[in-house]
Amino acid sequence: MKKIIYILSLVALVTTTSCKKRFEELQVNPNTPTSVPPDLAFNVLINGISKGLGGIEPWGTVARYNQFYCRNFEYYGDNQYNWYNGPFDVYVNVFKNIAQMEKEAEKVAGNTSTPYHTVAKFLKAYYYYNLTSMMGDVPMSEAVKASEGNLQPKYDSQKEIFLQILKWLDEANKEFGLLQAGTERLKGDIFYNGDYSKWRKLVNAYKLRILIALSKKEADADLKIKQQFAEIMSNVAGFPKFEGAVDNLAYRYIANVNNYPTNPVSFGFDALRYNMAETYVKNAADIKDPRILVTCEPAWKLVNDNGWAPTDFRAYVASGTGESQDIMESKAFSYKISHINRYRYYRTNTGEDFIIVGYAEMCFNIAEAINRGWVTGDAEEWYKKGMQASISFYGIVNGTNTGYYLSIGKSLGEWTTAPFNFDFTAYYNQAAVKYETGAAGLNKILLQKYLAFFQNSGWEAYYNFRRTGIPAFSTGVGIGNNGQIPKRWAYPSSEQQRNADNLQATLQSQFGGTNDINGEMWLIK
């Protein structure tokens, strides 16, 4: 009898196990992949950098927050800084995918010393820098651990996050150096085609950006900002950095693949509904900067009423971002202010490269560090290099150049041309441009950096304004928030439901318990 029961029990066990296994097999959708090669995951991740956090692509939302251009037609949106739900979707859309890329790379290689693990350190540094700079403290050490049962991660302090960012970048620099000597390739690389030497330069140029962003913490003994900056500048072999624009981390547009955001198709929708912003235009026009002759169109009413050439700097005027939108619209549609240069930005699908981290910025960062006394060197020379790199980006040369414009009543393709001369020495020798030591020189560096950030480098123009106040941004009713430029994004409302205790703890430690977009984070205190 016992033997029969044993046999029946065994049959039942086998049957149950078999059914369970069969049931689990049926749950797997054969049309849905359960894994992906690391190079494909990597390719998706680096393509996503051009979108970034908050819409950093050219002529996107962040370019308005940087006060490069404005929307004048209410139907298509406004110019308000309504920063009430910070982009915590980055945890699912980016950080989770970085972790998956690392997991897949380890699965293939059997170790964690792969190029995908190294590039993951740069990607994490890039996204965490922007996320914390936008909001303050954010989850990091316990983030993306839902599979381990942690659905309520603690918030790491901004200082802890920056220390980790600097650590990741140092590790990436060393690891890319080791990878250069090996044979393992980085596939799916749309930026540098697997060239580790260029990735290494990027990591160190990016580290200079991070250190400059921490300028208010230069005395912090843990961060060692001045020492780290000096190490990069003095140890060229150990910390290679950008040597020219050819090293830029730049996203390129290809017709019918990833069209430039403004193009012939969008011409009829927004070419007149977007106009230039005063913060950019006035600062450039005041110093007769040639870049606005190719990025903007003149205010045609001023040109026609006064008989000026389209290249006359007096014709380059713009509305402040804080101006009431109905007033701005009236000016825009009567051509009393400058519009986007439609020849440059609407004529083709390819536009210009979108610089994410660039050589010109690195030059200005080095000039700023020298001006601040962090390192020794020739601040004026680096300042000049930054200006020359930015001006060259627009194809402007010493001598005769040609401006192309679309005047009133003309169709796309009916261009008005006007020559203009440029001489870098004469431009540089203007009292408002020529470098000088001290605070005045620093202000000039910061202004030129702002002009060089036009339609590139994501949030950097705003971050630099928030850190230094240079240049002064436009305020007023048009920006919302009672006419003030906010200092941060608010944490998303979803955190109150999902992670309330940790949210309240970080709000209390940073902002007296309020999720205020005008709250001052550790970074800028």
Side-chain angles (χ1 to χ4, degrees):
M1 186 66 179
K2 289 182 179 179
K3 187 174 183 181
I4 293 172
I5 293 173
Y6 173 76
I7 292 172
L8 290 173
S9 299
L10 184 61
V11 170
L13 177 62
V14 171
T15 302
T16 302
T17 303
S18 176
C19 289
K20 182 179 179 183
K21 183 177 180 183
R22 178 61 178 159
F23 179 78
E24 289 173 348
E25 288 174 351
L26 289 173
Q27 302 311 298
V28 178
N29 184 347
N31 297 313
T32 302
T34 56
S35 63
V36 62
D39 59 295
L40 293 184
F42 169 59
N43 186 264
V44 170
L45 283 164
I46 59 173
N47 266 287
I49 290 181
S50 67
K51 303 298 182 185
L53 297 173
I56 67 168
E57 67 272 23
W59 305 102
T61 307
V62 176
R64 290 201 307 279
Y65 297 147
N66 288 336
Q67 301 203 353
F68 292 137
Y69 83 111
C70 304
R71 280 176 167 163
N72 60 57
F73 195 62
E74 186 177 4
Y75 181 82
Y76 287 94
D78 53 38
N79 305 302
Q80 295 190 20
Y81 290 71
N82 293 324
W83 291 357
Y84 296 113
N85 273 289
F88 264 33
D89 57 345
V90 69
Y91 286 103
V92 173
N93 297 336
V94 176
F95 292 130
K96 185 177 179 181
N97 291 336
I98 292 174
Q100 188 64 30
M101 177 183 70
E102 293 175 299
K103 180 180 177 181
E104 296 296 340
E106 183 179 3
K107 188 187 301 182
V108 172
N111 61 69
T112 59
S113 299
T114 74
Y116 300 101
H117 284 83
T118 300
V119 81
K121 291 178 178 178
F122 169 76
L123 290 172
K124 286 186 281 191
Y126 176 85
Y127 280 103
Y128 270 114
Y129 162 66
N130 280 287
L131 191 64
T132 190
S133 295
M134 289 172 71
M135 283 178 276
D137 298 355
V138 293
M140 182 184 67
S141 59
E142 294 183 1
V144 197
K145 294 186 183 294
S147 61
E148 300 173 23
N150 189 344
L151 300 177
Q152 297 178 321
K154 72 171 186 177
Y155 282 66
D156 295 86
S157 73
Q158 221 172 19
K159 179 176 176 177
E160 291 170 331
I161 292 167
F162 272 98
L163 284 168
Q164 180 60 63
I165 287 169
L166 293 169
K167 183 173 183 289
W168 276 326
L169 294 174
D170 277 341
E171 290 172 352
N173 172 53
K174 292 174 184 175
E175 290 170 18
F176 277 129
L178 295 172
L179 286 165
Q180 283 179 248
T183 58
E184 189 173 4
R185 306 320 307 157
L186 182 65
K187 299 177 183 177
D189 181 3
I190 63 171
F191 290 120
Y192 295 131
N193 195 30
D195 188 336
Y196 298 129
S197 65
K198 288 189 175 294
W199 276 100
R200 198 177 182 199
K201 291 177 184 178
L202 165 64
V203 164
N204 293 313
Y206 194 72
K207 186 177 177 183
L208 295 181
R209 173 189 284 186
I210 302 298
L211 294 170
I212 284 292
L214 289 162
S215 66
K216 289 183 177 292
K217 307 298 178 184
E218 65 175 67
D220 191 292
D222 298 318
L223 291 166
K224 298 181 175 63
I225 294 164
K226 290 184 278 190
Q227 297 93 317
Q228 293 197 62
F229 208 105
E231 183 179 27
I232 294 174
M233 294 302 297
S234 62
N235 187 354
V236 177
F239 294 89
K241 55 188 180 295
F242 288 165
E243 298 175 61
V246 69
D247 293 325
N248 289 348
L249 182 71
Y251 189 77
R252 294 175 175 82
Y253 293 90
I254 303 169
N256 303 317
V257 176
N258 58 330
N259 290 346
Y260 192 76
T262 54
N263 53 64
V265 173
S266 64
F267 173 79
F269 294 96
D270 53 34
L272 290 179
R273 293 167 183 143
Y274 293 161
N275 54 264
M276 305 307 295
E278 184 180 50
T279 304
Y280 173 69
V281 174
K282 187 176 189 308
N283 277 293
D286 284 350
I287 56 174
K288 297 179 171 57
D289 193 290
R291 284 169 283 192
I292 58 170
L293 302 181
V294 297
T295 60
C296 312
E297 289 179 358
W300 284 107
K301 186 169 185 358
L302 294 178
V303 169
N304 295 334
D305 287 356
N306 294 285
W308 294 341
T311 53
D312 192 313
F313 286 104
R314 292 173 295 178
Y316 288 80
V317 295
S319 284
T321 302
E323 187 172 67
S324 175
Q325 203 171 19
D326 58 340
I327 297 174
M328 187 186 298
E329 181 184 359
S330 175
K331 289 180 180 178
F333 279 79
S334 58
Y335 293 90
K336 293 178 180 178
I337 54 177
S338 294
H339 287 95
I340 298 171
N341 187 300
R342 289 167 284 183
Y343 177 86
R344 183 173 184 87
Y345 296 112
Y346 284 96
R347 182 171 50 95
T348 71
N349 288 323
T350 52
E352 63 193 25
D353 290 352
F354 172 45
I355 300 170
I356 300 167
V357 185
Y359 173 72
E361 178 201 350
M362 186 197 77
C363 293
F364 291 126
N365 287 339
I366 293 171
E368 180 176 342
I370 297 171
N371 178 280
R372 290 182 179 277
W374 292 3
V375 292
T376 58
D378 190 337
E380 183 177 24
E381 187 62 27
W382 284 106
Y383 173 62
K384 282 184 175 180
K385 286 180 180 179
M387 282 190 287
Q388 289 168 325
S390 177
I391 292 168
S392 294
F393 173 78
Y394 295 101
I396 299 169
V397 298
N398 274 325
T400 303
N401 298 269
T402 301
Y404 293 84
Y405 312 98
L406 189 62
S407 56
I408 299 174
K410 299 294 184 180
S411 301
L412 193 63
E414 299 180 279
W415 309 112
T416 296
T417 60
F420 66 91
N421 291 316
F422 175 67
D423 179 84
F424 180 78
T425 300
Y427 169 76
Y428 180 74
N429 283 332
Q430 295 179 93
V433 177
K434 189 174 179 61
Y435 181 73
E436 52 191 309
T437 58
L442 178 58
N443 289 350
K444 290 177 180 179
I445 292 168
L446 293 167
L447 176 58
Q448 285 290 337
K449 193 197 304 192
Y450 174 79
L451 297 177
F453 279 145
F454 181 74
Q455 299 304 330
N456 69 69
S457 302
W459 286 91
E460 287 308 300
Y462 165 77
Y463 293 159
N464 275 264
F465 154 74
R466 184 180 62 181
R467 177 175 65 91
T468 67
I470 305 296
F473 273 22
S474 170
T475 57
V477 295
I479 66 171
N481 190 37
N482 294 317
Q484 301 177 69
I485 304 291
K487 294 181 179 177
R488 61 179 290 272
W489 280 74
Y491 295 117
S493 56
S494 58
E495 279 292 276
Q496 186 60 49
Q497 286 78 45
R498 299 174 184 172
N499 196 12
D501 289 345
N502 287 316
L503 173 63
Q504 291 306 316
T506 198
L507 287 175
Q508 191 61 48
S509 67
Q510 294 180 90
F511 311 117
T514 62
N515 196 5
D516 184 3
I517 64 175
N518 300 307
E520 195 167 77
M521 61 181 69
W522 170 87
L523 179 64
I524 56 174
K525 287 182 179 178

